[in-house]
Amino acid sequence: MADIRRSICPLDCPDTCALLVSVEAGRVRQLRGDPEHPVTRGFVCEKVAKYADRQYSSERLLYPQRRVGGKGAGRFERISWDEALDEIARRLKSIIARYGSEAVLPYSYAGTMGLIQGASMDRRFFHRLGASRLERTICSAAGTAALNMTLGRRYGLEPEQFRLARLVLLWGANVLGANVHLWPFLVEAVRRGAKVYTIDPVRNRTGQLSHRHYFIHPGSDAALALGMMHVIVAEHLHDADFVERYTQGFEALAKRLEEYPPKRVAGLTGLTEKEIVELAREYATTRPAAIRLNYGVQRSERGGLAVRAVSLLPALVGAWREVGGGLLLSTSGAFHLNREALERPDLERRSGLGRSPRAVNMVQLGRALTELSDPPVMALFVYNSNPAAVAPDQNRVLAGLSREDLFTVVIEQLLTDTAAYADIVLPATTFLEHTDLYAAYGHYYLGLARPAVPAPGETKPNSEIFRLLAGRMGFDEPCFRESDEDLIRTALDSGHPFLDGITLERLEERGWMRLRVAPQGEPFLPFAEGGFGTQSGKLDFAAETLEYRPPSESRLGDPDLRARYPLELVTPKSDAGLNSTFGYRDAVDRDTAVLAMHEADAAARGISTGDRVRVYNDRGAVMLVARVGRDVARGVVAARAVRWPRKAPDGRNVNALTSDRLADLGGGATFYSCLVEVQRCVE
Ligand SMILES: Nc1nc2c(c(=O)[nH]1)N[C@H]1C(S)=C(S)[C@@H](COP(=O)(O)OP(=O)(O)OC[C@H]3O[C@@H](n4cnc5c(=O)[nH]c(N)nc54)[C@H](O)[C@@H]3O)O[C@H]1N2
Ligand SMILES: Nc1nc2c(c(=O)[nH]1)N[C@H]1C(S)=C(S)[C@@H](COP(=O)(O)OP(=O)(O)OC[C@H]3O[C@@H](n4cnc5c(=O)[nH]c(N)nc54)[C@H](O)[C@@H]3O)O[C@H]1N2
Ligand SMILES: [Mo]
């Protein structure tokens, strides 16, 4: 008989599902969605339904190992935990003695969204050590900075309310692929008569199923939003009352908008003048109107401005007033957990460095490993991330990871491309084997998960590994002895009203609870009456910052570059995977091997569907298989991310092409501002 255990999906996805896990004889059999959870609603995506394949994969790391072959060769010998921890402590101490503590660089991202295994003991450890600080910018930094500037708070429209919208703009949002639990609410809205439009350089499944699809030039979203605002203000379709009460800077905005007439915006975005005018009118006059903005729009050189400009729209038309109106990019700002107490940045003072350590932007890992001096990075500590696959400018990253004098520790579940470069590999538990607390960024439910099955082999949770390392390094502060339960209580103890009544014990009952964002059963309307998180409490249009220029790597960018590399490459996520987490799946392998091309661009290069093509620029090259059609506009090519490099023909994925240039805000990544040329391979 199977036991049913509750869990929470740890993946970096807006849906953060509540799961029911059936366990038989100590093994996970099946994962299902919790039918009671208002957003999960009883179903999970295919990759998570099949998570047992990952859990029990032959690639699973079960013991600590030490490198015996060359860097990257992936040849290891089994060692004991004591040997591994002793060797790490010895190497760290000698590197710190010679180069100083900033020669140590942690590298982690969102392999798990759990706070305990993602941002607690590990952060304490590196703060206490005085390691270089990692700026965790690879995903959402530009958009985060932009939302903080405009709304002042990362709150958004609740997913459950989309069912009441009459118009939904899916703006850089592949809902079916990367946020599938929003889909049923859209289906409900459509049944009630709503229209759904997609704005995306790629027409994926979501675009195919929408009422209208707008092929927008990559990185030009700010121009479209400004163009829509131009029409709205020129035709007096804005909500003058909302603007008057809850915003500032409207006069200057109106002046700025004169620079964005539909004709100019058509040239910048690829939409026609008529489309821009009609979209603006429909958006301003349909109530409630919802925008699902996703992070695809901000992975560009103008990504910060794009999110700023789009997030002004609902305030301009007063969409925040209604249930079912407004915008959703992230809800994460509502999880007012006590992160400071979890991460303890104050421990830096005890590191002996005498100041705050330098910051290293994770987008520029390749540069950090190959160019930083004073001190150079001599020890790299990777966990919850797979930079050999996911970081841009892959050739530089791999050159850095190949350095014989770099001491690399990787804590992993599977032998990833990054782990293959490690000197020491430590085996980590999965979410089904450890305890964690989960905030979300696509809804307002906080989750708690206990192990569903025992940890296999000698795997350990990250929190335990950093506790052990702290001991080896002689850190005797009591905070390094706190249990995972202590850490959860610490996180919940922030005093914020949204966490009122939410305790570890109450979370244990069902595994999840709604934040107290509104009284029970009532919708949360974050900005219906203003209440923006800015200093003045008003949304500031800040017109002086609303100046759009095309990205340098785009069809309207640097003329020399676009002459050599005339095609704009976007590399959005694969429906079958989650970044590189499911890189072992054949479905991911197939999906990420394809380059979508417009038929005119293909014809000009003598390329047909099924041809092997070489995609290249100054940074590198990858081999893909062409799929010719009309899924992308002319001038754009698209390949899904993120393939395991070692599964690709020459050990490189699309990140061999992407740039480590930073976005206009927040130091964010610019994966989707990337010019390339494509050529047919002669076999
Ligand atoms: N199945 C699956 N789900 C996932 C992930 C995954 O890898 N697979 N990844 C997770 C992660 S890490 C994140 S951050 C979230 C959010 O993930 P998102 O950032 O929303 O996902 P992407 O697919 O990268 O981008 C969304 C859409 O934006 C489009 N896009 C690209 N450039 C532009 C542009 O300049 N303008 C406009 N308008 N659109 C553009 C892409 O073609 C894509 O359809 O999803 C999560 N969910
Ligand atoms: N070309 C291109 N590149 C991209 C993107 C893109 O759209 N296009 N998207 C970017 C985005 S949005 C993001 S968020 C990044 C994602 O980058 P990452 O956060 O690095 O995501 P993953 O590739 O999924 O790698 C997560 C790793 O963490 C491991 N892991 C999971 N749980 C645990 C745990 O509990 N302990 C330990 N020790 N390890 C664990 C998994 O096994 C996995 O190998 O990629 C970025 N790269
Ligand atoms: Mo992400």
Side-chain angles (χ1 to χ4, degrees):
M1 264 306 286
D3 268 354
I4 305 294
R5 310 272 161 83
R6 290 183 175 282
S7 190
I8 300 287
C9 180
L11 297 176
D12 184 356
C13 167
D15 297 359
T16 312
C17 290
L19 305 175
L20 300 179
V21 182
S22 52
V23 174
E24 250 176 66
R27 274 174 82 90
V28 172
R29 291 288 166 208
Q30 208 191 9
L31 289 91
R32 283 178 300 138
D34 182 345
E36 290 173 18
H37 189 283
V39 179
T40 306
R41 294 169 95 196
F43 77 100
V44 290
C45 62
E46 195 209 358
K47 58 191 178 294
V48 170
K50 295 191 173 153
Y51 196 89
D53 294 350
R54 186 171 196 276
Q55 178 86 357
Y56 302 114
S57 131
S58 57
E59 312 244 4
R60 186 78 197 271
L61 295 166
L62 296 171
Y63 309 99
Q65 300 180 74
R66 178 196 288 132
R67 178 167 68 91
V68 291
K71 290 245 175 180
R75 289 187 31 235
F76 295 94
E77 62 179 3
R78 180 173 169 183
I79 55 175
S80 70
W81 269 103
D82 277 334
E83 284 174 284
L85 296 168
D86 287 342
E87 181 164 338
I88 294 168
R90 185 173 56 75
R91 293 290 299 267
L92 287 183
K93 283 176 187 166
S94 88
I95 286 168
I96 292 169
R98 176 146 175 223
Y99 296 95
S101 59
E102 289 168 304
V104 180
L105 177 67
Y107 198 93
S108 74
Y109 200 64
T112 171
M113 294 272 294
L115 272 114
I116 305 310
Q117 308 309 335
S120 66
M121 241 356 130
D122 55 315
R123 306 296 170 98
R124 293 178 177 186
F125 178 79
F126 291 110
H127 287 320
R128 174 64 183 80
L129 198 71
S132 287
R133 277 176 173 232
L134 185 72
E135 291 176 334
R136 291 179 169 82
T137 49
I138 201 161
C139 169
S140 59
T144 297
L147 272 199
N148 288 339
M149 278 174 74
T150 54
L151 306 183
R153 291 200 170 100
R154 272 169 303 124
Y155 297 176
L157 174 57
E158 283 181 297
E160 303 94 304
Q161 294 175 20
F162 275 79
R163 57 159 75 94
L164 297 174
R166 305 283 302 176
L167 173 67
V168 183
L169 303 185
L170 302 179
W171 201 318
N174 177 12
V175 174
L176 268 176
N179 176 201
V180 67
H181 289 82
L182 185 63
W183 192 256
F185 298 116
L186 300 182
V187 170
E188 237 181 280
V190 168
R191 276 205 204 108
R192 294 164 183 258
K195 289 277 187 288
V196 176
Y197 301 156
T198 41
I199 303 170
D200 197 308
V202 182
R203 183 163 47 199
N204 49 37
R205 282 193 300 148
T206 307
Q208 284 159 14
L209 290 174
S210 69
H211 294 105
R212 217 175 273 164
H213 181 81
Y214 299 97
F215 284 104
I216 189 169
H217 293 339
S220 70
D221 302 274
L224 178 57
L226 289 163
M228 288 170 66
M229 288 192 270
H230 172 105
V231 175
I232 291 168
V233 172
E235 300 188 3
H236 303 285
L237 298 175
H238 57 284
D239 182 338
D241 180 61
F242 193 94
V243 166
E244 165 71 27
R245 284 173 198 246
Y246 307 126
T247 74
Q248 60 192 40
F250 179 74
E251 308 282 285
L253 173 75
K255 187 112 201 50
R256 169 67 81 186
L257 293 176
E258 290 169 11
E259 297 165 27
Y260 296 92
K263 187 169 180 349
R264 175 169 178 231
V265 170
L268 293 170
T269 60
L271 275 69
T272 64
E273 278 180 65
K274 185 163 174 274
E275 283 174 330
I276 295 161
V277 172
E278 287 179 359
L279 182 62
R281 284 184 188 148
E282 194 172 345
Y283 175 69
T285 57
T286 310
R287 312 238 123 169
I291 298 179
R292 176 53 164 132
L293 180 65
N294 215 332
Y295 286 102
V297 298
Q298 52 93 67
R299 242 163 250 131
S300 125
E301 290 177 40
R302 303 289 174 257
L305 184 62
V307 170
R308 270 190 34 66
V310 176
S311 66
L312 298 176
L313 280 164
L316 188 65
V317 303
W320 290 114
R321 289 179 191 271
E322 293 117 18
V323 183
L327 171 140
L328 172 61
L329 173 61
S330 176
T331 60
S332 64
F335 293 81
H336 291 274
L337 296 159
N338 195 347
R339 287 172 183 265
E340 181 112 345
L342 264 191
E343 302 183 13
R344 296 289 306 270
D346 59 291
L347 289 167
E348 275 176 358
R349 270 187 276 121
R350 314 199 60 166
S351 70
L353 193 63
R355 60 179 164 80
S356 215
R358 71 174 169 200
V360 172
N361 188 318
M362 74 187 300
V363 168
Q364 298 179 323
L365 177 66
R367 233 173 259 276
L369 294 179
T370 55
E371 290 177 7
L372 263 192
S373 56
D374 200 24
V377 177
M378 298 304 294
L380 176 71
F381 230 104
V382 182
Y383 56 102
N384 298 349
S385 186
N386 183 9
V390 304
D393 204 356
Q394 188 161 70
N395 284 311
R396 219 193 286 251
V397 171
L398 297 181
L401 291 174
S402 304
R403 270 175 46 201
E404 276 299 331
D405 64 341
L406 176 70
F407 177 62
T408 301
V409 177
V410 177
I411 311 177
E412 250 300 351
Q413 298 163 341
L414 305 180
L415 189 67
T416 59
D417 285 88
T418 307
Y421 284 89
D423 293 280
I424 302 279
V425 180
L426 301 176
T429 45
T430 71
F431 76 106
L432 295 168
E433 300 151 359
H434 57 229
T435 294
D436 220 324
L437 179 70
Y438 297 93
Y441 62 92
H443 59 64
Y444 290 104
Y445 296 84
L446 184 66
L448 172 81
R450 293 296 197 174
V453 289
E458 296 182 2
T459 57
K460 292 185 193 298
N462 295 343
S463 55
E464 179 60 15
I465 295 173
F466 285 103
R467 261 181 221 114
L468 291 168
L469 281 168
R472 285 300 203 283
M473 294 302 289
F475 300 162
D476 53 13
E477 290 80 1
C479 71
F480 290 108
R481 289 192 294 276
E482 287 177 21
S483 67
D484 291 353
E485 285 71 24
D486 295 335
L487 290 167
I488 291 175
R489 287 185 212 281
T490 298
L492 294 174
D493 183 21
S494 72
H496 194 279
F498 286 1
L499 292 172
D500 257 5
I502 302 187
T503 60
L504 175 61
E505 289 69 26
R506 292 215 49 210
L507 279 168
E508 302 263 20
E509 289 166 21
R510 200 158 58 163
W512 48 268
M513 289 175 77
R514 188 183 188 222
L515 296 176
R516 288 271 173 116
V517 288
Q520 208 187 343
E522 286 181 29
F524 176 42
L525 292 169
F527 308 116
E529 293 169 19
F532 293 98
T534 51
Q535 264 195 341
S536 61
K538 293 187 168 190
L539 175 141
D540 187 350
F541 289 111
E544 67 284 0
T545 65
L546 298 176
E547 195 183 346
Y548 176 76
R549 275 174 303 119
S552 65
E553 285 208 32
S554 73
R555 69 178 73 205
L556 300 172
D558 178 345
D560 168 55
L561 206 57
R562 63 184 214 243
R564 287 185 295 144
Y565 303 117
L567 298 170
E568 296 174 296
L569 170 72
V570 291
T571 53
K573 284 105 183 17
S574 165
D575 295 12
L578 197 124
N579 300 322
S580 77
T581 295
F582 294 89
Y584 60 88
R585 291 192 74 192
D586 292 339
V588 172
D589 215 29
R590 280 195 301 274
D591 199 28
T592 54
V594 171
L595 182 76
M597 287 188 91
H598 187 270
E599 49 204 25
D601 294 322
R605 291 165 179 78
I607 294 169
S608 324
T609 294
D611 284 350
R612 277 162 50 82
V613 290
R614 180 169 175 270
V615 189
Y616 63 98
N617 60 20
D618 287 342
R619 290 178 288 268
V622 285
M623 307 289 289
L624 295 167
V625 177
R627 195 183 63 218
V628 178
R630 295 199 166 189
D631 298 339
V632 289
R634 208 171 165 165
V636 174
V637 288
R640 296 300 191 98
V642 178
R643 193 178 206 183
W644 275 0
R646 70 178 147 95
K647 294 195 104 186
D650 30 19
R652 298 291 184 275
N653 68 19
V654 286
N655 281 325
L657 303 166
T658 55
S659 146
D660 72 354
R661 197 181 291 111
L662 302 181
D664 53 352
L665 283 179
T670 60
F671 289 104
Y672 307 161
S673 294
C674 179
L675 287 173
V676 298
E677 180 52 293
V678 179
Q679 122 201 120
R680 187 167 160 250
C681 293
V682 193
E683 329 260 327

